[in-house]
């Protein structure tokens, strides 16, 4: 069954149909700019524009950069406040005429990495962290997602950690790699003290430049860059929509299962 994955990001809404067994896009992605302000009405239309570029799919998975519980968006740290308590899955499926699953963006990227990328066949507690506008987190135990962990908002020096250590802080404050890596190291040490994961998978656009900052970070937990990069959110959203079986609220995702099914 063809499933469409759509990733709502700070600057673009991107989507493509996904082969959820192989974890690959079945067509070139279609991208439209994220409307500003990124309010509910504008983003629903942008998602519809992306979906309209494709045909022949039955379900859709959509990522959102905030907490999503039972298809309802609960937080909106880096998007328009009209998303607070919005019935997102319902709004998208009313507009698109098909079942839609909505999940957190970092959770979706993690699902893809654990099923098909850097976290494949990794048992135990695995943590994906995305460094972008904010810091997203996704926690997996033996391949099963524990959704909405929001570890980007841990408090460090009396402030939200993502305000100091996200890639946006590096860009806006024009930090050197050394200075930024110091902050990331402090953040990662805090997370490893709290959770002792077996592995950190580092995603977000900056993970393409991992050679610039990985060598500067000294922590006990092994750390690897994400491998699916730009497509992780799209792929993870589609895998989640498939496993939800048409129930918009369900995000019971077993990423380990997704990668291991026969062709
Ligand atoms: C949000 C998370 C999101 C992350 C990355 C944070 O500010 O609270 O839900 O995953 O940014 O977009």
């Amino acid at each position: 069954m063809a499933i469409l994955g759509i990733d709502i990001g700070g600057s673009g809404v991107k989507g493509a149909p996904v082969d959820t067994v192989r974890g690959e896009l079945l067509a070139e992605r279609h991208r439209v700019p994220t409307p500003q302000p990124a309010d509910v009405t504008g983003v629903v239309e942008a998602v519809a524009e992306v979906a309209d570029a494709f045909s022949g799919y039955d379900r859709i998975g959509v990522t959102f950069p905030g907490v999503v519980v039972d298809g309802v968006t609960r937080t909106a740290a880096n998007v328009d406040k009209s998303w607070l308590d919005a019935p997102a899955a319902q709004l998208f499926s009313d507009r698109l005429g098909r079942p839609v699953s909505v999940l957190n963006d970092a959770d979706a990227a993690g699902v893809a990495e654990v099923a098909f990328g850097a976290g494949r066949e990794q048992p135990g507690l695995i943590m994906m962290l995305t460094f972008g506008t904010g810091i997203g987190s996704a926690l997996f135990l033996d391949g099963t997602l524990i959704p909405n962990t929001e570890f980007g908002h841990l408090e460090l020096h009396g402030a939200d950690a993502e305000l100091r250590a996200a890639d946006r802080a590096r860009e806006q404050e024009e930090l050197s790699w050394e200075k930024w890596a110091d902050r990331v190291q402090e953040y990662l040490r805090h997370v490893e003290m709290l959770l002792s994961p077996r592995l950190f998978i580092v995603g977000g656009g900056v993970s393409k430049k991992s050679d610039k900052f990985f060598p500067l970070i000294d922590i006990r937990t092994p750390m690897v860059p994400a491998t699916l990069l730009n497509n992780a959110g799209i792929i993870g959203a589609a895998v989640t929509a498939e496993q939800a079986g048409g129930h918009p609220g369900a995000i019971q995702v077993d990423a380990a299962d997704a990668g291991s099914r026969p062709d």
Side-chain angles (χ1 to χ4, degrees):
M1 183 198 312
I3 307 217
L4 200 62
I6 299 183
D7 192 21
I8 300 174
S11 57
V13 177
K14 304 136 273 187
V18 175
D19 176 336
T20 53
V21 173
R22 292 196 166 79
E24 290 166 5
L25 304 194
L26 291 165
E28 187 115 339
R29 327 182 313 161
H30 186 73
R31 180 187 190 278
V32 301
T34 304
Q36 299 302 336
D39 59 9
V40 173
T41 318
V43 172
V44 169
E45 281 317 303
V47 166
E49 202 182 325
V50 172
D52 282 348
F54 304 100
S55 58
Y57 55 88
D58 313 284
R59 279 186 227 152
I60 303 157
V62 177
T63 75
F64 177 78
V67 169
V68 188
V69 179
D70 295 335
V72 175
T73 46
R74 296 282 191 210
T75 67
N78 293 310
V79 280
D80 188 79
K81 300 300 172 224
S82 57
W83 285 100
L84 289 173
D85 295 325
Q90 194 61 53
L91 293 167
F92 287 127
S93 73
D94 286 351
R95 178 68 180 80
L96 302 172
R98 292 177 179 84
V100 178
S101 302
V102 185
L103 82 161
N104 172 263
D105 57 356
D107 284 346
V111 165
E113 289 294 337
V114 168
F116 308 107
R120 192 166 185 174
E121 283 161 20
Q122 290 282 347
L125 197 69
I126 306 295
M127 187 157 209
M128 165 104 187
L129 292 166
T130 62
F131 291 82
T133 307
I135 298 178
S137 65
L139 193 62
F140 293 83
L141 183 60
D142 291 334
T144 301
L145 171 68
I146 298 155
N148 292 313
T149 45
E150 293 292 317
F151 285 116
H153 298 290
L154 285 172
E155 197 179 299
L156 271 185
H157 301 289
D160 231 357
E162 73 173 20
L163 297 178
R164 277 176 58 79
D167 194 42
R168 176 160 68 178
R170 181 182 68 84
E171 286 177 357
Q172 282 188 343
E173 297 177 42
E174 295 177 14
L175 300 173
S176 64
W177 286 107
E178 285 74 14
K179 280 231 159 72
W180 183 66
D182 262 5
R183 294 183 181 191
V184 174
Q185 171 176 289
E186 184 184 36
Y187 172 68
L188 292 174
R189 284 184 176 174
H190 193 61
V191 176
E192 73 180 358
M193 180 272 289
L194 291 170
L195 291 165
S196 301
R198 282 192 50 247
L199 178 71
F200 282 124
I201 303 171
V202 174
V206 75
S207 64
K208 275 182 254 173
K209 300 176 194 148
S210 62
D211 56 317
K212 298 241 191 281
F213 67 99
F214 270 37
L216 305 170
I217 292 176
D218 179 19
I219 56 171
R220 292 167 61 191
T221 310
M223 189 168 85
V224 292
T227 57
L228 301 167
L229 301 174
N230 289 340
N231 294 332
I234 295 174
I235 294 169
V239 166
T240 304
E242 188 190 33
Q243 294 197 4
H247 300 289
I251 52 159
Q252 230 178 13
V253 190
D254 191 336
D257 199 35
S260 62
R261 278 171 301 116
D263 284 4

